[in-house]
Amino acid sequence: MADVYRWRLAPDGLATRRQLRALGLRPGGQDVVAELHRTRRRKAPLVAYLYRVDRAKPVRPMTPGRAAALAAAMRARRTCPNCRTDAGYCIPRSLGMCVPCHDSP
């Protein structure tokens, strides 16, 4: 079982995925070393998984193919299925269409 630390009491050399990403690193296939628990009233604690910074690997660089695929995915999220125009923002999933199409009768 992984070690468990309370909120803000984890030792140096351990980091969450977000903290690794801010450092330009990724877990790189290593197992979770410890857990960080933040207690909450009347609810289960929040859990964050910690990884060793010294075993982390650098983030893979963005390739032209990955950049093109990401751009296409974001363009699809911005395109209204009704009027087929680029709304300039991500279409809300709750509406399923751009706001002008949703508001018009």
Side-chain angles (χ1 to χ4, degrees), residues 6-49:
R6 293 191 57 173
W7 184 252
R8 298 185 187 237
L9 296 177
D12 292 335
L14 299 180
T16 63
R17 283 182 176 268
R18 284 189 179 191
Q19 291 169 336
L20 288 175
R21 187 63 181 212
L23 297 171
L25 301 171
R26 61 186 170 97
Q30 64 174 304
D31 292 330
V32 173
V33 176
E35 292 181 359
L36 190 64
H37 285 208
R38 180 177 180 189
T39 57
R40 300 187 296 175
R41 287 186 227 166
R42 299 186 192 109
K43 292 184 180 180
L46 292 175
V47 178
Y49 300 111

Side-chain angles (χ1 to χ4, degrees), residues 56-72:
K57 296 180 180 176
V59 175
R60 294 183 185 127
M62 182 66 74
T63 63
R66 286 175 64 194
L70 181 60

